[in-house]
Amino acid sequence: MSGEAGRREDAPGDVVLAIEDLTVTFDGDPVVDGVSAVLRRGRVLALVGESGSGKSLTAMSVLGLQPGDAVVTGAVRLAGEDLLQAAPARLREVRGGAIGTVFQEPAGAFDPVRTVGSRLAEAVQAHGPADGLPARIRGLLASAGLSDPDRTARSYPHELSGGQLQRAMIATAVANDPVLLIADEPTTALDVTVQAQILDLLRRLRDERGTAVLLITHDMGVVADLADEVVVLRRGRVVERGDVRAVLTVPQHPYTRELLASVPTTARTPDAEQPEEAPVAVLRAARVVHRRRGGEVRALDGVDLGIRRGEVVGLVGESGSGKTTLGRVLAGLVPLTSGAAEVGGTDVGAARGRRLRAVRRRLGVVFQDPASSLNPRDTVGRSIAEPLRLHSAARGPARAERVRELLDAVRLPADAAGRYPHELSGGQRQRVAIARALALGPDLLIADEPTSALDVSVQAAVLDLLEDLQQRYGFACLFISHDLAVVRRLAHTVVVLRDGRIVEHGPAATVLTDPADDYTRLLLAAAPVPDPARQAERRAAFQRLAAVR
Amino acid sequence: MIAARFVLGRLAGVLLVLLVVAAATYAIFYLLPADPARLSCGKPCTPENLQRAQQFLGLDAPWWGQLGQYLLGIVAGRTFGTGGGAIDCPAPCFGYSFQLSSTVTDLILQRLPVTASIAVGAAVLWFVSGVAGGTAAALRRGRLADRAIMTVAVAGVSAPAYLVGILGILLFGFALGWLPTGGYVPLTEDPLQWLLHLLLPWAALAFISAAVYARLTRAELLEQLSLDHIRTARAIGLSEPAVVVRHGLRNALIPVVTVFGLDLGLLLGGAVITEKVFSMQGLGSLLITSISSLDLQVVVGITQFSAFLVTAANLVVDLVYGVLDPRTVRR
Amino acid sequence: MSVLRRLLRDPWAVVAAIVVVLFAAAAAAAPLITGLTGHDPFTYDLDALDGTGAPQGAFGGVSAQHWFGVEPLTGRDLFAIVLWGARTSFTVGVLATAVSVSLGTAVGLIAGYAGGWTDRVVSRIVDVMLGFPSLIFMISLTAIVAASFPRPLLIVLVIGFFGWPAVARVVRGQVLSLKQRSFVLAAQAMGAGPFDVMRRQLLPNLAATVVVYATILVPAAIGTEAALSFLGVGVPPPTPSWGRSIGDAISWFSVDPAYVAFPGGALFLVTLAFNLLGDGLRDALDPRLARRRPRSAVAPVVEEAVTR
């Protein structure tokens, strides 16, 4: 800790890259508008913004990899040389040479039909003699923290996990000792524990090799964890810049303040009444086993759970933990291998025909992806009326009236009923999905990552809405999320799921502040907070816990 | 180990398909018609040929007995009839023509070189020119060359082989006199004449498919070039040819090869048509004459044989696919 | 509405649509038109021929009387033959496509939605049938069907039957990807039954694909009918057919090269128009579709399934 603070007080390192008045236009519309930034040796500069802020486009323009119809002006000086004026051959030398790049989706970043090792070999061979190539590849993969570098090198991308691939991509990016590393949302597609490890790896590169890092992210927690300086972008313009502590603790610009305020940090105040009635939804010794070639996968492995009326249960877990399966079991979409799943006293697994329909009337679901949550061929009104059509006698004016009520409840204008999904924003579509889920006044709402695909400011509004609706209607809610901050915002009770088993279950306040289980502690420590000092403590805690494991 | 399991799996699949196809073919052509013996007898149908046909087909046996004999004949050969009039039909036995007094297998083998010459040459020509044209168009997207190639491709897609063939004969055969207007010269007899006689058939048969493959290759390559892994390849400083060929085209070829496998059946159909245009005596002309002379044994034999040929060729394509796309092998 | 507007902005598609409509109208009104010209496609006119059976006059006997010339050996009016040939082509093309599309959509929808072993078995059958030498099978089938069975109906059924696997494959692929979309899951969770999900959620989203596919299947079916007739196993004479005229023209090459031009030109023009219209429709219905993999990988297979 002290070492880091000490390093920061050192005289600023040499300037590695200077972006000067960079402007990128499409058809005359500026998408990046006069952005300037300076990157120094051994420092991390974070470019922060929501979708459409132009942050990724800025980074791609540095490498000359912007889309073909973009017009780039300004200057990008690498050790004084303007890359915007460089010849294609010189740019190729720089790419993967002086500047290494790490992208967001590690699964898509590798050629699917070639081994990971061949990608590294290409990276080395493109920039000079490749003496002792196998040994070099092994060394690079090992230094990126891959425990079995030989096996990794022989593997095809589909045989590796996201975290392993991201390590391999970092190994590729640093293959030729770059002075600058561009990391474009390097951890967005990863689980929090993996994210913490990848951020550690990037920090180590900065400290050990003195590499400058241009970090592009939307996540203020990641910024707090890794960045030295911050540039906040909004619609292509810089709205604020400065030292990470200054920007995150005493933001000057209203937009930065809004961004920070949108990050869910406040815990939900526990409701006064503790409901004593029988639970609305129950899982008993629930098991779901998928048979695959060469064995079976236990998606759920003996889960017991009850959700009461008026209670929000936050279900937390990393990818592959079985949390989505659990939600789908309660929705009657995935059959149990053994055990029981009951909603309102009826077994959703065993019910057929009329009884199943009766159960389904009593639950509503909201799924993650706003792009696909609504039928693109149906108007908003038709989508919301779908459950009414299936289950209630209301038709004609009565149905239209109910649709209006629901639109009003999710704070959308009445004329939205005639629109098609592609005319709405992501947040608006999720509101429509919520309205549809509430159409029949359900006893149970299952919300599977309803805000994960949204920008933070939109996410905050949707979470507010959900809390408000839940208080007003008092339905039971299973709220599934990988994001602890979001769960903290909404849940009374938290359930932590890992490999299909519940590792911890209790009141939100207890589980999220004083967890009993090691894995919960690790998860908590891995989730970054947008405050550099507090994040440093968390990081230290994570490193301790990870070392013990 | 993994690769061996992949190959064996595909092999087993192919054998199963062959069995089902053979059984279905037999059922359709011998069990459905009211009087298969008469259809096998030939035109004109002499009473003794009809009697032989009835006896040979084993029509007095139950249907499963007939089917069993038929399938066994393909694998192990069979003997038609008994006593002095018995005819031996060695494996693979696809039937016996009473009219031509020859096993169908022999008839097919006599004609096969013609059809194979047309089909293989045309397939090579269309695959190579299609992929090359599509790649060129994709790399010059939106420019004149792209539009020119795609315009020819759209026209090509709509031009049946017999029209292209007829135009070719009129132009290069009659008007210019550069190439023969039809006929076939065996490769063993005169390689140069073989080639000259085949140039027009190849071009006629390949034209339409080359157009299809150009469109397909262009679309797939453009799609590949828009993917993340191409951006990463550029970001590590690879040269543009390396990016396009090693990562773009390599991946774009996977669906193209899939379509190629499916097109082998069309290839045989196309060859039949091409034979007629260029008056070549291949399998197709044998099939057509057998239909008009009512020789069901030959008709079914050719159908069965071409189904087998395509299935076997598909196995090869499948294995190539396994090499191109390791994900299918190492799952 | 916006689909139509987008289609109208594509000049090639507009021209193609006009050509298709013109041919369709001409085919429908063929008896009327030949009634006006006074030449039906069945009446011999040996006076129009010279001693060898070739048409008298230039370009296969083109004259004010016979706009496209006359058929060698018979002297029948070629204009009437081409016009009535369009009737044959369009009838067979449209009916066969209807068979393929309805079979293919139903099978693809059920296989994709049911999943599991139903899907595996159906997909295997589709794969085998797609790779099959179907033209050879069709030719052979004409040998065993009783002469009393109406030939044109047989042609329609046979072509339609070999066309469905391609449709089923594409529809199944679309259904598989739609099934993953949240709105389908949501509908299931709301209690919509399989039939309801297929009708309300899946079919409306498949409509674009199916329409585009149908547009490319029609010329493929027309081409197959022409190919069968060209080989002499298609619709029986004297029913006019472009394919048979082209087949007959081969033996008249050296004497009467113009004979092939009119039926051949008509076949090429109609096929081209349908293909261009299909391309335009695909882009207009869903601009994103044009770039999507499943369709680009498979469309051309049917597109030219049998036109060669």
Side-chain angles (χ1 to χ4, degrees):
Chain A
M1 214 58 32
S2 59
E4 219 167 89
R7 194 182 51 75
R8 217 170 252 137
E9 277 148 26
D10 286 349
D14 313 327
V15 171
V16 170
L17 186 86
I19 300 172
E20 295 164 10
D21 199 22
L22 185 75
T23 299
V24 185
T25 53
F26 289 92
D27 289 331
D29 289 334
V31 179
V32 173
D33 195 355
V35 170
S36 298
V38 172
L39 280 121
R40 294 171 193 281
R41 195 180 135 72
R43 308 270 286 173
V44 176
L45 177 86
L47 222 48
V48 188
E50 296 188 288
S51 46
S53 63
K55 54 189 193 301
S56 284
L57 190 58
T58 305
M60 289 305 99
S61 306
V62 167
L63 292 167
L65 290 177
Q66 71 280 359
D69 47 347
V71 179
V72 185
T73 57
V76 174
R77 294 189 201 286
L78 178 74
E81 177 192 8
D82 186 359
L83 293 181
L84 297 186
Q85 310 300 329
R90 170 65 189 144
L91 264 181
R92 274 203 303 278
E93 246 172 72
V94 171
R95 295 177 197 151
I99 304 180
T101 316
V102 179
F103 292 100
Q104 172 175 355
E105 284 286 347
F110 286 85
D111 187 336
V113 301
R114 291 182 186 273
T115 60
V116 167
S118 82
R119 171 48 56 90
L120 271 141
E122 281 180 328
V124 173
Q125 283 160 344
H127 295 279
D131 311 327
L133 192 58
R136 253 175 97 182
I137 291 175
R138 209 176 304 129
L140 283 165
L141 288 170
S143 73
L146 285 157
S147 52
D148 191 347
D150 287 316
R151 195 194 143 98
T152 310
R154 279 198 311 272
S155 298
Y156 288 94
H158 71 277
E159 298 169 324
L160 298 175
S161 73
Q164 287 171 319
L165 284 174
Q166 197 58 302
R167 286 177 189 278
M169 184 152 41
I170 293 173
T172 317
V174 301
N176 298 301
D177 270 318
V179 293
L180 171 67
L181 192 65
I182 295 179
D184 187 357
E185 302 269 12
T187 58
T188 305
L190 306 174
D191 280 329
V192 273
T193 53
V194 182
Q195 161 170 296
Q197 294 163 7
I198 295 293
L199 291 175
D200 272 345
L201 176 59
L202 289 172
R203 193 174 8 260
R204 225 181 60 219
L205 287 172
R206 175 194 69 184
D207 294 344
E208 289 173 4
R209 300 184 179 219
T211 317
V213 179
L214 177 60
L215 174 70
I216 288 114
T217 183
H218 69 285
D219 187 334
M220 286 297 189
V222 169
V223 174
D225 187 68
L226 193 60
D228 301 299
E229 287 144 82
V230 184
V231 171
V232 182
L233 282 182
R234 186 195 193 192
R235 297 194 195 128
R237 287 171 178 274
V238 177
V239 296
E240 182 160 5
R241 67 170 76 233
D243 179 80
V244 66
R245 283 186 222 178
V247 174
L248 292 194
T249 50
V250 276
Q252 299 302 309
H253 194 277
Y255 179 68
T256 317
R257 260 177 261 152
E258 191 192 319
L259 269 185
L260 282 164
S262 306
V263 179
T265 46
T266 51
R268 176 167 193 166
T269 42
D271 295 356
E273 16 140 13
Q274 278 302 324
E276 285 302 319
E277 50 196 298
V280 174
V282 180
L283 285 178
R284 264 187 237 105
R287 287 179 77 238
V288 174
V289 179
H290 300 299
R291 268 170 229 298
R292 296 271 155 75
R293 58 173 74 188
E296 45 180 46
V297 181
R298 292 177 188 183
L300 283 187
D301 195 5
V303 168
D304 293 287
L305 182 66
I307 308 173
R308 288 170 209 284
R309 190 176 152 70
E311 182 187 34
V312 178
V313 172
L315 182 61
V316 180
E318 297 189 285
S319 48
S321 64
K323 56 185 193 303
T324 291
T325 306
L326 197 159
R328 291 191 181 178
V329 165
L330 279 180
L333 294 172
V334 172
L336 285 176
T337 310
S338 66
E342 288 173 12
V343 175
T346 308
D347 189 331
V348 282
R352 289 278 175 280
R354 192 166 300 182
R355 276 171 71 79
L356 185 62
R357 278 167 59 86
V359 182
R360 285 186 153 150
R361 259 201 80 116
R362 305 176 61 175
L363 56 90
V365 290
V366 180
F367 291 107
Q368 171 175 1
D369 183 10
S372 77
S373 57
L374 304 174
N375 187 340
R377 307 270 163 204
D378 278 350
T379 60
V380 165
R382 265 174 76 97
S383 281
I384 295 178
E386 185 76 17
L388 303 173
R389 184 182 68 81
L390 285 165
H391 293 287
S392 86
R395 43 184 84 249
R399 201 184 278 179
E401 178 53 33
R402 179 73 183 135
V403 169
R404 243 193 318 279
E405 270 172 42
L406 287 160
L407 280 171
D408 188 55
V410 296
R411 297 167 201 163
L412 284 172
D415 64 2
R419 305 251 195 95
Y420 282 92
H422 69 263
E423 300 171 299
L424 306 179
S425 70
Q428 287 172 325
R429 276 183 236 164
Q430 285 307 67
R431 284 167 194 268
V432 174
I434 291 170
R436 179 180 59 189
L438 297 180
L440 294 167
D443 297 335
L444 173 68
L445 179 74
I446 300 167
D448 189 355
E449 304 262 14
T451 61
S452 303
L454 306 175
D455 277 331
V456 272
S457 54
V458 182
Q459 165 173 300
V462 172
L463 290 176
D464 283 345
L465 175 70
L466 268 176
E467 180 182 23
D468 183 49
L469 292 169
Q470 200 268 329
Q471 266 162 1
R472 190 168 357 150
Y473 298 115
F475 48 79
C477 176
L478 177 70
F479 188 89
I480 302 168
S481 181
H482 70 285
D483 188 338
L484 287 163
V486 168
V487 169
R488 187 196 311 265
R489 170 81 187 72
L490 222 54
H492 303 105
T493 311
V494 170
V495 174
V496 182
L497 208 58
R498 187 191 192 198
D499 297 336
R501 291 169 176 276
I502 292 181
V503 297
E504 187 155 9
H505 182 181
T510 319
V511 175
L512 295 179
T513 51
D514 186 19
D517 183 81
D518 278 351
Y519 177 69
T520 314
R521 274 190 214 120
L522 190 75
L523 268 187
L524 272 173
V529 286
D531 177 326
R534 277 182 53 214
Q535 175 55 23
E537 288 166 26
R538 281 214 171 182
R539 185 196 315 138
F542 176 79
Q543 283 162 348
R544 266 199 314 280
L545 285 164
V548 172
R549 292 176 71 82
Chain B
M1 200 359 229
I2 301 169
R5 205 192 305 153
F6 173 74
V7 172
L8 286 178
R10 292 297 148 108
L11 206 59
V14 163
L15 288 177
L16 184 69
V17 167
L18 286 180
L19 185 69
V20 172
V21 165
T25 310
Y26 184 82
I28 292 170
F29 288 99
Y30 286 119
L31 297 180
L32 283 185
D35 192 356
R38 179 150 211 104
L39 293 174
S40 304
C41 167
K43 208 159 39 175
C45 180
T46 60
E48 79 240 31
N49 265 355
L50 183 61
Q51 204 192 347
R52 280 169 83 193
Q54 276 162 342
Q55 186 201 343
F56 280 19
L57 285 171
L59 291 174
D60 35 359
W63 68 267
W64 46 267
Q66 297 178 37
L67 175 62
Q69 269 205 326
Y70 177 80
L71 293 178
L72 199 66
I74 296 176
V75 184
R78 66 192 279 194
T79 306
F80 288 107
T82 46
I87 291 157
D88 188 42
C89 178
C93 175
F94 285 107
Y96 183 82
S97 166
F98 304 102
Q99 203 172 10
L100 302 173
S101 304
S102 165
T103 65
V104 173
T105 311
D106 283 343
L107 290 173
I108 289 176
L109 289 179
Q110 281 163 25
R111 304 294 193 99
L112 187 60
V114 183
T115 309
S117 296
I118 300 175
V120 173
V124 170
L125 183 65
W126 95 43
F127 191 86
V128 171
S129 58
V131 168
T135 307
L139 294 182
R140 284 166 187 73
R141 184 186 193 176
R143 282 188 263 163
L144 188 67
D146 178 21
R147 265 176 285 162
I149 293 173
M150 284 304 112
T151 306
V152 173
V154 173
V157 158
S158 311
Y162 40 93
L163 277 187
V164 179
I166 290 170
L167 283 182
I169 293 175
L170 286 177
L171 183 62
F172 295 101
F174 288 118
L176 296 171
W178 291 352
L179 292 170
T181 57
Y184 174 80
V185 176
L187 176 64
T188 46
E189 212 169 275
D190 185 345
L192 180 68
Q193 282 304 315
W194 175 81
L195 183 72
L196 288 178
H197 278 84
L198 280 167
L199 280 179
L200 274 180
W202 284 345
L205 184 50
F207 192 62
I208 197 167
S209 291
V212 178
Y213 283 64
R215 283 164 62 121
L216 181 61
T217 306
R218 177 180 181 274
E220 292 298 335
L221 186 55
L222 285 177
E223 155 118 24
Q224 280 298 324
L225 291 178
S226 73
L227 292 183
D228 276 358
H229 73 85
I230 293 293
R231 187 177 62 169
T232 332
R234 292 202 174 109
I236 61 174
L238 294 190
S239 68
E240 204 51 29
V243 170
V244 170
V245 175
R246 231 187 291 163
H247 299 293
L249 197 56
R250 165 73 194 272
N251 277 287
L253 277 182
I254 292 172
V256 178
V257 168
T258 308
V259 174
F260 188 70
L262 295 176
D263 275 358
L264 293 173
L266 301 180
L267 175 65
L268 275 186
V272 168
I273 293 173
T274 313
E275 280 171 23
K276 169 157 179 181
V277 176
F278 293 94
S279 353
M280 298 165 111
Q281 306 300 312
L283 279 182
S285 73
L286 179 62
L287 178 64
I288 300 289
T289 42
S290 304
I291 284 176
S292 43
S293 67
L294 274 189
D295 201 339
L296 188 65
Q297 294 264 322
V298 182
V299 171
V300 179
I302 291 176
T303 311
Q304 191 73 269
F305 175 77
S306 39
F308 276 25
L309 202 64
V310 166
T311 310
N314 248 310
L315 176 68
V316 177
V317 171
D318 243 15
L319 297 180
V320 170
Y321 191 87
V323 174
L324 270 180
D325 189 350
R327 286 166 296 185
T328 53
V329 184
R330 297 169 63 161
R331 217 180 343 220
Chain C
M1 201 56 233
S2 66
V3 171
L4 190 62
R5 216 175 305 133
R6 273 204 296 269
L7 192 65
L8 289 177
R9 233 182 288 147
D10 180 351
W12 283 112
V14 173
V15 173
I18 293 173
V19 171
V20 168
V21 169
L22 278 181
F23 266 97
L32 229 64
I33 299 172
T34 50
L36 290 176
T37 59
H39 296 285
D40 68 53
F42 308 110
T43 313
Y44 284 32
D45 180 6
L46 299 179
D47 294 342
L49 307 174
D50 63 17
T52 63
Q56 285 182 349
F59 298 112
V62 171
S63 66
Q65 278 277 310
H66 301 288
W67 299 347
F68 288 1
V70 296
E71 195 179 61
L73 275 187
T74 64
R76 291 184 292 197
D77 182 49
L78 200 49
F79 176 73
I81 288 179
V82 170
L83 207 57
W84 283 67
R87 251 171 121 73
T88 309
S89 288
F90 271 71
T91 313
V92 171
V94 170
L95 291 181
T97 301
V99 173
S100 303
V101 166
S102 31
L103 259 177
T105 308
V107 172
L109 196 55
I110 291 168
Y113 189 76
W117 67 266
T118 315
D119 183 34
R120 277 200 292 280
V121 170
V122 170
S123 300
R124 193 76 199 124
I125 293 173
V126 164
D127 280 352
V128 170
M129 278 196 68
L130 273 179
F132 225 61
S134 48
L135 188 68
I136 289 180
F137 232 85
M138 292 187 217
I139 296 170
S140 304
L141 275 175
T142 60
I144 57 154
V145 176
S148 55
F149 195 89
R151 223 2 87 120
L153 180 61
L154 172 71
I155 301 290
V156 165
L157 290 179
V158 165
I159 297 176
F161 182 73
F162 279 97
W164 73 263
V167 181
R169 187 172 146 128
V170 172
V171 167
R172 170 186 170 271
Q174 291 257 337
V175 168
L176 284 186
S177 88
L178 285 171
K179 234 172 49 165
Q180 300 304 315
R181 310 269 291 273
S182 306
F183 68 86
V184 177
L185 282 172
Q188 288 169 326
M190 272 180 242
F195 181 72
D196 198 78
V197 172
M198 288 190 210
R199 196 171 61 88
R200 293 287 306 253
Q201 313 295 338
L202 299 177
L203 263 184
N205 285 290
L206 291 169
T209 310
V210 171
V211 167
V212 170
Y213 237 77
T215 317
I216 351 185
L217 269 179
V218 172
I222 289 178
T224 310
E225 183 276 317
L228 289 174
S229 299
F230 172 83
L231 292 170
V233 293
V235 292
T239 313
S241 158
W242 294 342
R244 201 181 41 256
S245 294
I246 297 169
D248 291 344
I250 288 189
S251 29
W252 289 91
F253 264 4
S254 39
V255 189
D256 180 12
Y259 181 22
V260 75
F262 295 104
L267 178 61
F268 175 70
L269 210 60
V270 165
T271 313
L272 182 65
F274 268 109
N275 280 333
L276 284 173
L277 183 61
D279 279 4
L281 263 180
R282 168 165 65 197
D283 295 346
L285 276 169
D286 192 345
R288 285 164 303 145
L289 265 183
R291 272 173 293 150
R292 225 177 270 160
R293 173 184 293 261
R295 94 136 343 96
S296 57
V298 185
V301 185
V302 214
E303 217 166 301
E304 288 72 40
V306 254
T307 36
R308 59 179 68 139

